[in-house]
Each structure stands twice: as C-alpha cells, then as structure tokens.
Amino acid sequence: MRIAVFMGGTSSEKEISLKSGEAVLESLQKQGYDAYGVILDERNQVSAFVDNDYDLAYLVLHGGNGENGKIQAVVLDILGKKYTGSGVLASAITMDKDKTKQIAQSVGIKTPKSYRTVEEIERFPVIIKPVDEGSSKGLFLCNNKEEAEEAVKKLAKPIIEDYIIGEELTVGVLNGEALGVLKIIPQADVLYDYDSKYAKGGSVHEFPAKIENKSYKEAMKIAEKIHSEFGMKGISRSDFILSEGELYFLEVNSSPGMTKTSLIPDLATLKGYSFDDIVRITVETFLE
C-alpha cells in the first residue's frame, strides 16, 4: 500500500500546508508506511494526481482547491481514488464562511451578526475577513466606517460580522467525536491573527480550556453537531467565541493545520492520542 501526501497548492496558506504535509509525511514514514510527498503548484494540480502511483491520497491542503472540494470533485472522485478528509459537498460549503453561518443558524447555532455592506453595520468594532480563506489571512478589526471601507476594498469577497469580545475557543472532532476544548490566548494583542497562529510564541494554547463545565460540554456538542450536519469526515475543527456565558460559532475547518504549533495535535492529547496516532487513525479510516 502506497500513500501519497499532497501538500502545497496555490492558496495563501501554501506555506502552512507544506509544513503540515512534512509533519504528516515524517509521521507516516516513521510508522513504517510506504509514503512519499507530492508538492502541488500552479502547473500540476491535475497531473500530480493522475501521474503518481498511490492507494491513498493523504490531503494536507489548506485553502483553495484542496479545501474547497474542487480537487476531490474534478480529479479524485473521477479517478476513483481514496482520499482523506471530507468529500466534495462538505468541503465546498464549509470553505464558504457565509454559507456555513447560514446553515449553522438554521439548525439553532448562534453566530455573530453579519452585514452585507458597510452601510448596514449597526455598531463597531466589526471583523472583516475573506469569505473563503483560512489561517486568519486578510483579517481586519475595524473600529469605524472609514476602516471598514478600506478593509472591504482589499478583499475580493469579504464577510462582515460583529466583533464579539470574549475567549477564543476551538474544538477538534475526529470521526464524529469531539476531542476536547482548547482556549487560545494571543500574546501580541487581542486579535488571533495569522502571526498569533503560526509564529513561535504567538499564542498560548490552554488545553483543556479552563472555562465553566457547562460551556465546555456545550462547545463539544455544537462541534459534533456541525461535523454531522455538514457531513464532514475525518478531522474537523470548529472555532468559537465565549462571551458572557454565550457561545458564538465562527467557522469550521475541514482540513485544519497539522504543524507543530497547530491546534489539532494539542487537542488530540486530551483523548490520549499522539500526533502519530491521529495520522494512523486517519489512514485506517479512509482505507476502509
């Protein structure tokens, strides 16, 4: 059995994908799997999957065509190849933050209020971010109308929502079961941005999160519900803000980071799993 670890791609998250992919590949090889890496770029997003020999495509692609379902739909499903992670529909919907929020709201999950235009904003500050990017790329905290207008100009497809002050929480889900709740404590400033996520010392991960037991259990339950409602497979990670005892769902990631500073490896330890365990379980799950 051969496993090809696909990483890189063309999105703004390519650098993180490469780091995640290298970590996964190292783990697979250490565990004795016949595994090798394939780096995607602008030229080989189809040919890389057609020309290589593998029994399982281990997808470690963040953002863009790897996380929005296009590679799965246009290449892997047509080839009849097995691959890790969520399928086409779940990947496509959850990559769109606006659609994700709408569906979450329809099943009773609370989210920050959204606005279509700057003129609709009822109060400041607001968060403005790309509707289809991850890793907090292009994230703006805007305190007034002028800042909001400038932020919107910089983004092709912006989503505008109320900035909820509270504790940043995230919940990992593996094969439908919540791993636990982790609190993210940014060190540089109050906003959990790209540098806070990936720069060494950018944030502190408190796991398990020191919050009220009721909120802890509720976050786990909502994350499992999100995973199920969207038909997600393998690993997902749901992000929340806890403000004055109320949980606000922000977004869900169908292909969360697997770098040394990523959140899923920390969350996995709450169930007694090592990084290698998560990688092995993923392989076993999608080879069935």
Side-chain angles (χ1 to χ4, degrees), residues 4 11 33 56 58 65 67 69 81 88 94 99 157 167 171-172 179 183-185 188 202 233 237 247 273 279:
S11 82
Y33 289 102
L56 177 68
Y58 201 124
N65 291 336
E67 198 169 354
K81 289 286 191 178
V88 175
T94 56
K99 287 187 174 66
K157 296 179 180 179
E167 298 170 287
V171 182
L179 296 169
K183 184 194 294 185
I184 302 153
I185 308 171
K233 298 178 181 178
R237 200 197 74 231
L247 272 171
Y273 296 134
V279 171

Side-chain angles (χ1 to χ4, degrees), residues 4-237:
V5 180
F6 292 91
M7 64 187 94
T10 59
S11 82
S12 61
E13 299 173 72
K14 178 177 181 177
E15 179 186 349
I16 305 306
S17 172
L18 290 171
K19 290 180 180 178
S20 292
E22 288 166 3
V24 167
L25 179 59
E26 180 183 351
S27 174
L28 287 168
Q29 293 175 339
K30 183 172 66 174
Q31 295 184 73
Y33 289 102
D34 179 10
Y36 65 100
V38 180
I39 297 177
L40 300 184
D41 56 31
E42 300 83 1
R43 300 162 296 178
N44 68 348
Q45 291 199 61
V46 173
S47 61
F49 294 94
V50 176
D51 297 340
N52 281 287
D53 176 34
Y54 54 94
D55 300 293
L56 177 68
Y58 201 124
L59 302 180
V60 196
L61 300 164
H62 309 321
N65 291 336
E67 198 169 354
N68 65 12
K70 287 186 179 179
I71 282 174
Q72 293 90 326
V74 176
V75 187
L76 291 167
D77 283 347
I78 291 175
L79 292 174
K81 289 286 191 178
K82 293 181 178 180
Y83 56 87
T84 63
S86 293
V88 175
L89 186 59
S91 299
I93 293 175
T94 56
M95 192 65 187
D96 187 313
K97 295 181 179 68
D98 191 37
K99 287 187 174 66
T100 300
K101 287 182 66 175
Q102 290 176 31
I103 294 172
Q105 290 167 353
S106 74
V107 296
I109 296 171
K110 183 176 290 187
T111 69
K113 183 170 183 176
S114 296
Y115 307 99
R116 295 291 177 184
T117 65
V118 172
E119 286 68 29
E120 292 179 9
I121 296 173
E122 295 175 357
R123 67 176 181 85
F124 288 94
V126 294
I127 290 288
I128 300 181
K129 56 189 177 182
V131 75
D132 56 0
E133 290 279 0
S135 292
S136 300
K137 282 282 192 179
L139 181 69
F140 298 93
L141 174 60
C142 303
N143 295 295
N144 52 56
K145 185 178 180 181
E146 289 71 27
E147 291 180 0
E149 288 173 340
E150 284 301 311
V152 166
K153 289 178 184 177
K154 296 176 182 178
L155 302 174
K157 296 179 180 179
I159 181 172
I160 306 169
E161 60 187 24
D162 283 341
Y163 175 53
I164 309 294
I165 298 174
E167 298 170 287
E168 302 248 7
L169 305 177
T170 194
V171 182
V173 176
L174 174 63
N175 292 340
E177 181 185 10
L179 296 169
V181 184
L182 180 151
K183 184 194 294 185
I184 302 153
I185 308 171
Q187 296 300 284
D189 49 42
V190 296
L191 195 61
Y192 185 48
D193 59 8
Y194 183 85
D195 289 334
S196 295
K197 282 189 175 183
Y198 298 112
K200 189 174 181 180
S203 63
V204 171
H205 297 172
E206 179 184 280
F207 55 102
K210 296 175 183 177
I211 58 177
E212 288 188 4
N213 191 45
K214 178 184 176 182
S215 296
Y216 194 102
K217 289 182 177 179
E218 185 183 359
M220 298 245 288
K221 183 178 179 180
I222 295 173
E224 289 178 348
K225 185 174 183 178
I226 288 288
H227 190 95
S228 174
E229 286 287 341
F230 287 94
M232 305 184 82
K233 298 178 181 178
I235 299 171
S236 71
R237 200 197 74 231

